[in-house]
Structures are given as C-alpha cells and as structure tokens.
C-alpha cells in the first residue's frame, strides 16, 4: 500500500479517500432503508402503541449496527484488495 520509502502516492491517497466516502454513503443509505422498513409503518400508520413503540426502537437500534457493519466490511475489503508490495499483485491472483 505504500510506495518506496513508506510514503503513499497521490493515487493511493485518492483511492483511499474515495473508498471511505463510498463506505460512508452506502452505509448511510443501507441504514436509512432499514430504518424506513422497520420504523416506517409505525410513522405512517395508526398502529397500536406497543407495536409502534417496538418498531421505532427496533429501527433506532438496528440502523447504527447496519451502518457500522457496512463501513467496516467495505473498508476491510478495500484493505484486502491492496497488494502487499508496490507493483505486485496478491499471490492468489
């Protein structure tokens, strides 16, 4: 991941920045969709109080977990895809 001398090239820095942005945006989208699927009916319909409260709490509890899981999975996959030495591909390619 580092060029000779331990410094990153501009292309490597740009790739990492784009990957971090992608991880954050896709995680926010996934968390929002999941929250909408779980808590949406409670917000849109007149459901019994206990069911409405349960759906809202479930959405609020699960969305951050999905967000973090998505960010970590994207960044771990990006890190694993980087060659261990500059100019070389990974041994399994």
């Amino acid at each position: 991941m580092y060029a000779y001398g331990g410094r990153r090239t501009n292309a490597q820095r740009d790739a990492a920045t784009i990957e971090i942005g992608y991880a954050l945006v896709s995680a926010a989208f996934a968390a929002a969709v999941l929250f909408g699927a779980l808590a949406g009916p409670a917000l849109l319909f007149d459901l019994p109080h206990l069911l409405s409260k349960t759906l809202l709490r479930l959405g609020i509890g699960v969305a951050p977990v999905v967000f973090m899981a998505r960010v970590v999975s994207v960044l771990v996959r990006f890190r694993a895809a980087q060659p261990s030495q500059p100019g070389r591909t990974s041994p399994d390619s």
Side-chain angles (χ1 to χ4, degrees):
M1 184 158 176
Y2 296 105
Y4 299 105
R7 300 182 85 84
R8 292 182 188 177
T9 65
N10 283 339
Q12 289 170 328
R13 285 195 303 266
D14 290 346
T17 301
I18 290 170
E19 200 66 24
I20 290 168
Y22 169 72
L24 292 173
V25 169
S26 67
F29 180 76
V33 167
L34 183 68
F35 178 79
L38 291 174
L43 298 172
L44 294 175
F45 303 115
D46 188 25
L47 299 175
H49 180 68
L50 182 61
L51 179 59
S52 177
K53 193 175 184 180
T54 302
L55 287 174
L56 282 171
R57 286 187 178 176
L58 190 62
I60 290 170
V62 172
V65 173
V66 169
F67 180 86
M68 290 306 299
R70 177 68 181 161
V71 169
V72 169
S73 70
V74 168
L75 295 179
V76 165
R77 203 171 0 142
F78 174 70
R79 176 77 173 150
Q82 299 298 310
S84 59
Q85 294 180 354
R88 297 188 181 194
T89 58
S90 59
D92 58 349
S93 62

